[in-house]
Amino acid sequence: MSPLPGPIDEVPDLDPAQLPALLRSWTTPKVLRGLVAHWPMVTAARDSAAAAVAHLKQFDHGRMPVTATTAAPQAQGRIFYNEDMTGFNFRREQIALRVVLDTLLKYQAEPAPPTIYVASTTLDSFLPGFAAANPLALGVDEPLTSIWIGNRSRIAAHQDVPDNLACVAAGRRRVTLFPPDQIDNLYIGPLDFTPAGQAVSLVDFASPDLQRFPRFPVALAQAQVAELGPGDAVFIPSLWWHHMEGLDAFNVLVNSWWRPVPAWMDAPMNALMLAMLALRELPPAQRAHWRALFDHYVFEADAGTHAHVPAHARGVLAPLDAATAGNVRSVLRRRLER
């Protein structure tokens, strides 16, 4: 028998005014029951899916189509690869949001409808005014807030670099989280050929193949899970693996991503890809030497790393700010062009 995930830590009776300070301090997942229960969207969703759709349509200017992901009923909501991983089990089309919403309502009573999923759609661009009508102060710089709309869905475990606060606005969601160090046990697929931009676990959580993925129970033993209803939210820290399920015939999620780092910092995935190109195929002894260099200059770097070098001569060893980051990029660009 596979181990059962434990619960995600819950923060009871959170005053939304406390949220900005807490978001700056949390490094582990949190469930926030009723955080956005005051939203008119949530009130409408608790009434009916039709009422929730009517609330959304107030803000739909109709000038831009959304990208809708659709999959056959046989997919059972799983947005994934096709059988031999030469493509995917879904297609994408540009369509008016109102049409998507009406189609979701039409299929509500169907026991096996096609999967319909509008993913990660920028809220202010497509539904201007929604955020003002359904407010939540995060106290973070330049969050990217998106809306996700669909019927029953299963989104494979993946990770994001930014911190993430996901608020359930309609329907129920099940979220299963894994610490970043479970990467070996989640059997992650390709980095550059992905269903939606992020590498995903190849394990079907509804029916795990333990012959193909024998270490998956080890990941489950470290997992945390929660079922969220309208008004609930979950904080997902940077790089925590998350498997998301929409459990009802009509689901809406609003999430905000942000990185609590200066804007001049680069994307860590760029460094990983370059390291794969430059280091992965080196002989083991040389990889060990480079691991020591990375520890010295990156993972264990502190003021002592460059203290013995005169300040005017430190170059890329100097403390980083917008100006020195530009210098590092210039050096890197010259090296890559050789």
Side-chain angles (χ1 to χ4, degrees):
M1 180 180 294
S2 296
L4 296 176
I8 300 174
D9 184 36
E10 296 199 10
V11 181
D13 304 320
L14 176 64
D15 179 353
Q18 298 175 312
L19 185 62
L22 292 172
L23 289 176
R24 290 192 292 271
S25 66
W26 285 336
T27 58
T28 57
K30 307 292 179 186
V31 164
L32 313 173
R33 296 287 180 195
L35 179 69
V36 294
H38 61 285
W39 281 3
M41 175 68 197
V42 171
T43 301
R46 287 176 173 164
D47 180 24
S48 67
V53 165
H55 183 79
L56 289 169
K57 284 183 175 180
Q58 295 179 75
F59 308 103
D60 177 22
H61 52 64
R63 293 191 296 272
M64 295 182 291
V66 296
T67 300
T69 297
T70 59
Q74 293 87 335
Q76 298 182 319
R78 191 183 188 208
I79 306 297
F80 199 62
Y81 295 95
N82 60 13
E83 287 293 332
D84 60 4
M85 289 186 65
T86 58
F88 304 105
N89 70 346
F90 57 85
R91 63 188 178 91
R92 292 192 176 102
E93 58 182 304
Q94 299 293 303
I95 191 167
L97 178 57
R98 287 173 176 265
V99 174
V100 175
L101 295 172
D102 290 340
T103 304
L104 287 167
L105 291 180
K106 182 182 75 172
Y107 281 122
Q108 246 196 307
E110 291 287 330
T115 299
I116 302 170
Y117 192 58
V118 175
S120 193
T121 299
T122 306
L123 193 60
D124 286 343
S125 297
F126 287 85
L127 293 169
F130 179 96
N134 298 273
L136 183 64
L138 300 179
V140 300
D141 292 332
E142 299 183 356
L144 175 62
T145 301
S146 300
I147 193 166
W148 311 66
I149 304 168
N151 52 10
R152 293 180 182 89
S153 59
R154 294 186 288 142
I155 307 304
H158 60 285
Q159 60 181 182
D160 298 306
V161 172
D163 289 325
N164 181 0
L165 184 71
C167 302
V168 177
R172 294 172 300 127
R173 295 265 174 172
R174 182 184 295 117
V175 55
T176 306
L177 306 180
F178 302 84
D181 64 8
Q182 289 306 301
I183 184 170
D184 284 349
N185 304 319
L186 287 171
Y187 298 92
I188 305 305
L191 295 181
D192 54 342
F193 177 57
T194 69
Q198 303 295 337
V200 303
S201 170
L202 300 184
V203 181
D204 183 351
F205 282 28
S207 182
D209 181 347
L210 297 185
Q211 287 191 318
R212 184 181 176 192
F213 308 118
R215 296 190 307 276
F216 181 61
V218 179
L220 277 182
Q222 298 297 316
Q224 302 177 27
V225 66
E227 186 172 307
L228 309 176
D232 295 337
V234 60
F235 170 70
I236 305 173
S238 171
L239 295 182
W240 275 68
W241 301 96
H242 45 290
H243 180 273
M244 306 292 287
E245 298 172 81
L247 302 178
D248 289 330
F250 183 74
N251 298 281
V252 178
L253 186 78
V254 176
N255 84 304
S256 295
W257 287 295
W258 67 94
R259 291 188 68 200
V261 298
W264 46 258
M265 287 190 66
D266 214 321
M269 183 55 73
N270 293 345
L272 177 63
M273 298 288 279
L274 188 56
M276 291 169 62
L277 177 65
L279 304 177
R280 190 176 63 185
E281 303 304 321
L282 289 176
Q286 291 188 30
R287 287 206 307 271
H289 299 332
W290 279 103
R291 181 179 294 113
L293 289 175
F294 270 69
D295 284 343
H296 180 74
Y297 287 112
V298 180
F299 297 112
E300 297 175 7
D302 57 23
T305 303
H306 55 256
H308 57 285
V309 181
H312 67 271
R314 287 173 184 167
V316 299
L317 294 178
L320 285 170
D321 55 25
T324 53
N327 293 338
V328 172
R329 286 191 179 90
S330 296
V331 171
L332 183 59
R333 191 177 299 114
R334 291 196 298 271
R335 288 178 173 269
L336 291 174
E337 290 173 350
R338 288 177 183 171

